[in-house]
Amino acid sequence: MSAPRRERRKADPALNDPERLYVITGDTDGERAALDLVTMVVSQAEPSPTVQPEQAAILRLCRAPLSVAEISAYLSLPFSVVTSLLTELLATELIESRAPIVRAALPDRSLLEAVMHGLQKL
């Protein structure tokens, strides 16, 4: 007996269909939100029955904060399409976005040494 063969999943042809992506993004005459790949997104509400399936998926994914790049990867959608969907969700206040928190600068080495010497004297 031979071991079962694992087959690669074939990509869904609908995911690369330009017409489908155009329909998802809707009318793009408006301004897009200033989002980049590391912008963090968190949902503020549960998906309602009136939102698009992709937007509902974003709302479910973003119960915990996710970056735009992660959302794009999980949904297998281009960054531009995801930003368009996120812009609509931001306008309806279903999600909140913020820049990632930058690690604070390290304290001065001389300060750390002074604290360490003070603790050693105790």
Side-chain angles (χ1 to χ4, degrees):
M1 256 186 163
S2 63
R5 291 187 55 191
R6 292 187 180 211
E7 294 182 25
R8 271 190 174 190
R9 284 191 285 171
K10 295 183 180 165
D12 186 1
L15 292 177
N16 296 323
D17 183 18
E19 292 174 7
R20 178 181 169 273
L21 297 178
Y22 179 78
V23 170
I24 289 173
T25 58
D27 186 21
T28 58
D29 291 339
E31 288 287 320
R32 286 197 180 174
L35 301 169
D36 59 7
L37 290 171
V38 294
T39 301
M40 300 301 289
V41 176
V42 65
S43 61
Q44 298 295 312
E46 291 295 318
S48 69
T50 59
V51 298
Q52 296 178 25
E54 291 81 10
Q55 290 176 329
I58 290 172
L59 291 172
R60 284 190 296 275
L61 277 173
C62 293
R63 288 184 181 132
L66 282 178
S67 70
V68 176
E70 290 172 310
I71 297 168
S72 178
Y74 286 136
L75 296 179
S76 300
L77 291 173
F79 173 74
S80 59
V81 173
V82 172
T83 56
S84 178
L85 293 169
L86 291 174
T87 299
E88 293 175 21
L89 290 171
L90 281 168
T92 57
E93 298 181 352
L94 292 174
I95 61 169
E96 185 179 287
S97 69
R98 65 170 173 78
I101 298 171
V102 180
R103 180 190 283 182
L106 294 174
D108 185 28
R109 181 181 175 105
S110 61
L111 174 66
L112 292 174
E113 288 175 355
V115 170
M116 182 178 71
H117 292 306
L119 290 172
Q120 288 174 345
K121 289 181 182 179
L122 291 175

